[in-house]
């Protein structure tokens, strides 16, 4: 169908819808419907022509969508008199030209912010990922021998140096790691889990549901707050495929509690030839207690304690791209890699290049100075105070009244619940502006660059711990722009 006839059809549809609606609507609405321009007149509007980079058929579809949204608003009685079809189309065209996934400034104070894409990777990692994406790489072929294979060799070697694990398989994320491991190790068998660890990790990921999906049967032992080694012992039989430990990442039970250490469970498992699978979640490779935080289980500790398989996320405390690490004994990793589901959840070359580049920072001992998550955790408050003084001076010279306040950042991403790091925030008092804190926050989110802060007691706080030092100038410009709007 040519463009002209498509346009004609579009106009017929517009007219039909309009007249159908008119019959049952009052005069005001029918007048509003009549004021809607035709598809062809919008497409031929000079402003639309200038703003559009779309192909002709895509532009027709977009205009039809906008007109139908306007008709819907008229039907709801929510279209203001200012509603203008050409303006709506121009807005839609501008939205299309602005990628949703462009960089934003995270001033929320949540270091691993799931809704802002979790960990930012290091510069070196980002470069490695872009290079792998834009070029052919020796993903599955050994340059030495020209033989096929070796997709996981580099990462296995790096993680082996860091944790002592024999072998590693990287998949899409930790959720798929757990599903794959249970499917390969325990389908049609029993998996023993403490009641305190049969947890929900986040929207749609509950350990009992994942176990069911894998075909394994969940055997819960102990109580919510206390589980003993004898509880595991009592239920183990020849039907038991594994003991599963799950780190309750996003909550903490305090008081009268007892859980079984991985090493103790490994001891029992060895006497009965039952492997221990350990979902440590955040995938820390550094000791968080060195930064004034609670200790988060590390992959290395779990391997040292004798877990057969450890599962972890790539984009939490590891500080890499989204990935799931399955690491541990070679015989298990080989069995898991052969399972049909492994192909369904496998990681792409970009992800693998990113995980390898991130691990390289750890083997060189430079994670704290190169990986954003650890840089943010390690930044001393004095540096944040210094940055805040520079920002206040710059804002002052722009005529923006702001104060600097002490605050607390969090780790986020379901890691270290309740942990707080002292921080410094720039505070915009909405009272001195006339806009509410919500309005200011909206302007900052929708500005360029987009800035996400947090609201506390009708004050907008921009927490400096999570802002990249290189973004401080852009932050000042965004704030003064939003203030003046
Ligand atoms: C976060 C988490 C997961 C899920 O990890 P994703 O990488 O988000 O899929 C699974 N288990 C634990 C213990 C976690 O903390």
């Amino acid at each position: 169908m040519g463009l002209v006839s498509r346009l004609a059809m579009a106009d017929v549809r517009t007219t039909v819808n309009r007249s159908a609606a008119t019959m049952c609507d009052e005069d005001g609405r029918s007048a509003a419907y009549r004021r809607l321009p035709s598809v062809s007149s919008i497409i031929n509007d000079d402003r639309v022509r200038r703003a559009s980079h779309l192909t002709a058929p895509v532009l027709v579809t977009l205009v039809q969508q906008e007109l139908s949204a306007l008709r819907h608003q008229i039907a709801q009685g929510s279209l203001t008199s200012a509603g203008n079809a050409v303006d709506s189309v121009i807005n839609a065209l501008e939205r299309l030209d602005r990628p949703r996934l462009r960089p934003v400034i995270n001033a929320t104070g949540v270091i691993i912010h799931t809704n802002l894409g979790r960990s930012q990777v290091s510069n070196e990692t980002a470069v490695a990922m872009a290079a792998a994406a834009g070029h052919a790489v020796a993903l599955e072929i050994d340059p030495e021998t020209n033989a096929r294979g070796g997709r996981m060799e580099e990462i296995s070697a790096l993680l082996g140096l860091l944790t002592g694990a024999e072998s590693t398989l990287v998949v899409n994320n930790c959720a798929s790691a757990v599903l794959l491991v249970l499917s390969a190790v325990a389908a049609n068998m029993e998996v023993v889990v403490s009641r305190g660890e049969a947890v929900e990790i986040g929207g749609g990921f509950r350990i009992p549901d994942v176990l069911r999906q894998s075909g394994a049967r969940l055997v819960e032992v102990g109580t919510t707050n206390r589980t003993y080694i004898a509880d595991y012992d009592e239920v183990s039989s020849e039907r038991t495929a594994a003991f599963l430990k799950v780190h309750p990442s996003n909550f903490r039970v305090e008081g009268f509690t007892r859980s079984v250490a991985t090493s103790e469970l490994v001891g029992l498992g060895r006497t009965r030839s039952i492997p221990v699978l350990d979902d440590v979640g955040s995938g820390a490779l550094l000791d968080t207690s060195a930064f004034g935080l609670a200790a988060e289980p590390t992959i290395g500790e779990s391997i040292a304690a004798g877990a057969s398989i450890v599962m972890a996320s790539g984009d939490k405390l590891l500080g890499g791209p989204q990935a799931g690490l399955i690491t541990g004994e070679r015989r298990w990793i080989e069995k898991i890699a052969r399972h049909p589901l492994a192909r369904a959840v496998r990681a792409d070359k970009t992800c693998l290049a990113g995980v390898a580049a991130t691990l390289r920072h750890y083997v060189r001992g430079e994670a704290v100075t190169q990986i954003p998550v650890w840089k943010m955790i390690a930044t001393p408050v004095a540096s944040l105070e210094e940055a805040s003084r520079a920002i206040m001076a710059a804002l002052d010279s722009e005529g923006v009244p702001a104060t600097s306040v002490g605050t607390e950042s969090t780790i986020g991403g379901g890691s270290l619940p309740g942990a707080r790091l002292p921080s410094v925030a720039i505070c915009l008092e909405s009272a001195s502006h006339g806009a509410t804190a919500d309005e200011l926050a909206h302007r900052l989110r929708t500005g360029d660059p987009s800035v996400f802060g947090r609201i506390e007691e009708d004050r907008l706080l921009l927490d400096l711990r999570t802002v990249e030092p290189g973004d401080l100038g852009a932050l000042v410009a965004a704030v003064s722009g939003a203030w003046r709007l």
Side-chain angles (χ1 to χ4, degrees), residues 118 173-175 201 205 246-247 249 279-282 313 315-316 323:
R118 286 207 185 148
N173 56 12
C174 188
I201 298 299
F205 187 81
V246 182
H247 178 51
S249 309
D279 174 8
V280 296
S282 71
S313 275
D315 55 355
K316 293 182 179 173

Side-chain angles (χ1 to χ4, degrees), residues 100-139:
R100 167 71 178 264
L101 300 188
R102 66 193 190 282
V104 305
I105 295 178
N106 174 10
T108 62
V110 181
I111 293 175
I112 306 171
H113 197 301
T114 298
N115 295 350
L116 296 179
R118 286 207 185 148
S119 301
Q120 295 153 236
V121 300
S122 72
N123 291 334
E124 198 173 316
T125 301
V127 168
M129 293 177 76
H135 299 275
V137 295
L139 178 63

Side-chain angles (χ1 to χ4, degrees), residues 263-291:
S263 55
E264 204 178 353
L265 201 50
V266 167
L268 174 65
R270 290 210 171 122
T271 65
R272 296 177 163 260
S273 302
I274 296 170
V276 172
L277 318 175
D278 192 5
D279 174 8
V280 296
S282 71
L285 287 171
L286 298 181
D287 178 8
T288 44
S289 64
F291 302 88

